[in-house]
Amino acid sequence: MRESFIDTVTAALDTDPRPAVVLADISADNFVQAAARHPERVVNVGIREQLMIGVAGGLALTGMRPVVHTYAPFLVERPFEQVKLDLGHQDVGAVLVSVGASYDGAGMGRTHMAPGDVALLDTLPGWTVHVPGHAAEVPALLGPALRSDDRVYLRLSTRGNAAARPVGQGLVVVRAGSARSRGVVVAVGPMLDRVLAATAGMDVTVGYLATVRPFDRVGLNAAAAAAGHADVMIVEPYLSGTSAHEVGEALSDRRHRQLCLGVPRGSELRGYGTPDDHDRAHGLDAAGIAAAARDFFPE
Amino acid sequence: MPTKTFSRYADLPALIGLMTGDEKHRAAAESTLDVLWVLYDRVLDVSPERADDPGRDRFLLSKGHGPAAYYAVLAAKGFLDVPTLRRWAEFDSPLGHHPDRVLVPGAEIGSGSLGHGLGLGLGTALGLRAQGRPEPRVVVLLGDAELDEGSNHEAIAVAGRFGLDNLTAVVIDNRSASLGWPGGIADRFSREGWAARSTVARDHTALHEALTAPHHGRPLAVVARVNPKEW
């Protein structure tokens, strides 16, 4: 996904005068050629994450389209007040592109993990949040973002699904349940393949969502209405319950149940290893999701 | 009350007098008055008619506390109607205790939380440069205590390395930084590659000279000394 992002932005620099890339050393070597062709539109400020957001705000105030990129904890959490004030409060936009996701860098430990990034951004109004599940989905989400003036967060991961899915159109039904089905399972971005595996043989509708803000309330409501039960399980690759309020709003016109799977909020997992190890520990591998689904959708 | 009768430096105290209820920030307001006036009256190429002109100079008030002097100068220069000043900080007034660029005509940024203006100014200077506009100046007004914020150190270092000569930082020095600045504020900017000058804020001629002296290839820092803040 990171390569797809770099290729897409590099091409955009050549054809569109508005984009400007702001870096804080991370991935700077991947933008060397772009910087050689557009030295004033590829800005590496060194390891200064507050400044990279402030610079993005200033660039946007002059009408340019800043693209800001680094590791998720340094992009969203460290300069959070800059994200709030230098972009949102100034009423300007930028495309923030993170790598690392929740625990892609599991071996690096807690300092490089940010399972709370989407929940934190969710405290601010007006952000579009994309969580692609495949590298081929990245250009489809990034292209429109580069051409707009919106505040966009693109959350890239080293993990994902075997095949790209339709993006940019809200909830996509991947597998439809029957009219008597147990309910709806929403898989966000990289969670789809394991959700499909976990719910194989269950009479549920499985929907895919690569854009979580704005949330497709209408699409989820329609899927729940078509199911036998208005019960929704959402599986997100970040803090559990991040979209609980959206699911609640989407289903506010009907009696419903909801279960939110994600990285548990209760404690800090002090472990290294691999992302798969963390999935297992959090119950976010296929077996963990299957167990949760069996409990939530009783036969 | 026609605005045109309140367009002189001597009118500014009367304009400030229309705004009451911000005694907490009064020292901050008065400390900026001379610099704001010299900038808007003699240095900046801005006007209400050119508020959206991409070639205009940019003034960024990073020191967003106590903006009464700022509002008074904006009113004297025709950005604001004088009667608007009377309603300041009311619920539906565009003028708050910290300015909001979305609400205040002529305000380039919203500010109040310390340490945001210089980064925004640096980005603005880079954006103008990238669009082939070397002429507009980007002037950021800060307080000496505001320089305590690490975000400003990030911006000072990078602006110096990039040689952004379209960027100017004006620092109001009322010696309110709790731990002070060994060697003085101008020295700190100089070490980071800025052209730095220090002057007395009350001396408008000296201030004008400091703000307009050549500084090719380097950002400019002007430290304007005022009386120490009284607590």
Side-chain angles (χ1 to χ4, degrees), chain A residues 182-261:
Chain A
R182 309 306 305 176
V184 178
V185 183
V186 177
V188 171
M191 310 307 283
L192 178 61
D193 280 358
R194 65 188 89 171
V195 164
L196 286 170
T199 58
M202 297 179 73
D203 187 7
V204 293
T205 293
V206 176
Y208 178 62
L209 207 52
T211 298
V212 291
R213 298 293 181 278
F215 192 88
D216 184 7
R217 295 177 185 175
V218 172
L220 179 58
N221 192 303
H229 297 266
D231 294 345
V232 171
M233 180 170 111
I234 185 167
V235 185
E236 299 181 280
Y238 36 75
L239 214 57
S240 79
T242 295
S243 294
H245 64 103
E246 291 288 350
V247 173
E249 287 284 343
L251 303 179
S252 61
D253 67 334
R254 63 188 73 240
R255 293 176 181 276
H256 66 275
R257 295 163 63 237
Q258 64 165 288
L259 175 68
C260 298
L261 295 191

Side-chain angles (χ1 to χ4, degrees), chain A residues 18 20 34 37 46 57 61 97 130 153 177 192 223 243-244 285-286 291 298:
Chain A
R18 287 213 313 148
R37 288 203 297 278
L61 284 168
V97 183
H130 298 306
Y153 180 50
L192 178 61
S243 294
D285 59 342

Side-chain angles (χ1 to χ4, degrees), chain A residues 9-23:
Chain A
V9 170
T10 299
L13 285 167
D14 291 337
T15 57
D16 182 347
R18 287 213 313 148
V21 178
V22 188
L23 303 167

Side-chain angles (χ1 to χ4, degrees), chain B residues 6-204:
Chain B
F6 287 90
S7 58
R8 301 170 301 151
Y9 177 71
D11 297 324
L12 297 177
L15 291 170
I16 292 174
L18 297 176
M19 294 168 274
T20 57
D22 188 24
E23 283 72 16
K24 175 176 175 286
H25 286 153
R26 181 170 294 281
E30 293 176 351
S31 70
T32 59
L33 188 63
D34 292 287
V35 168
L36 285 166
W37 179 255
V38 171
L39 282 168
Y40 273 86
D41 195 52
R42 303 172 63 180
V43 177
L44 296 171
D45 183 15
V46 292
S47 68
E49 296 73 32
R50 297 181 53 215
D52 297 320
D53 183 346
R56 73 189 183 281
D57 285 346
R58 310 295 201 278
F59 174 74
L60 281 60
L61 183 74
S62 186
K63 183 182 161 72
H65 298 45
Y70 181 49
Y71 296 150
V73 171
L74 287 176
K77 291 299 178 184
F79 289 93
L80 291 172
D81 294 330
V82 171
T84 304
L85 301 179
R86 293 184 184 278
R87 296 193 300 110
W88 93 310
E90 291 178 11
F91 177 73
D92 57 353
S93 168
L95 310 181
H97 289 280
H98 301 115
D100 182 338
R101 72 176 288 271
V102 174
L103 303 177
V104 183
E108 298 284 358
I109 61 167
S111 59
S113 188
L114 300 176
H116 291 265
L118 198 56
L120 287 167
L122 194 150
T124 302
L126 287 169
L128 291 168
R129 193 181 261 202
Q131 293 173 72
R133 296 185 181 280
E135 293 85 13
R137 291 185 67 170
V138 181
V139 179
V140 183
L141 182 64
L142 308 103
D144 69 309
E146 186 181 359
L147 293 179
D148 288 357
E149 296 284 4
S151 53
N152 281 324
H153 294 249
E154 294 185 1
I156 291 167
V158 171
R161 300 304 180 281
F162 285 4
L164 281 174
D165 55 10
N166 55 343
L167 179 67
T168 295
V170 184
V171 181
I172 304 289
D173 182 10
N174 61 3
R175 277 145 284 172
S176 58
S178 291
L179 302 180
W181 295 95
I185 295 167
D187 178 66
R188 174 62 200 272
F189 277 89
S190 297
R191 288 171 187 271
E192 297 288 358
W194 294 55
R197 300 182 173 85
S198 195
T199 183
V200 178
R202 292 285 180 206
D203 186 340
H204 291 193

Side-chain angles (χ1 to χ4, degrees), chain A residues 40-41 43-59 61-64 78 81-82 85-87 89-92, chain B residues 58 99-102 108-111 113-116 119-120 122-124 126-131 150-151 153-155 157-158 161-162:
Chain A
E40 295 189 335
R41 291 198 288 142
V43 180
N44 180 8
V45 299
I47 306 170
R48 297 179 174 90
E49 286 87 7
Q50 294 181 76
L51 183 64
M52 73 187 297
I53 304 293
V55 162
L59 288 165
L61 284 168
T62 69
M64 300 194 72
R78 188 179 192 119
E81 196 187 66
Q82 273 73 16
L85 295 180
D86 297 359
L87 296 171
H89 184 54
Q90 306 305 329
D91 196 28
V92 295
Chain B
R58 310 295 201 278
D100 182 338
R101 72 176 288 271
V102 174
E108 298 284 358
I109 61 167
S111 59
S113 188
L114 300 176
H116 291 265
L120 287 167
L122 194 150
T124 302
L126 287 169
L128 291 168
R129 193 181 261 202
Q131 293 173 72
S151 53
H153 294 249
E154 294 185 1
V158 171
R161 300 304 180 281
F162 285 4

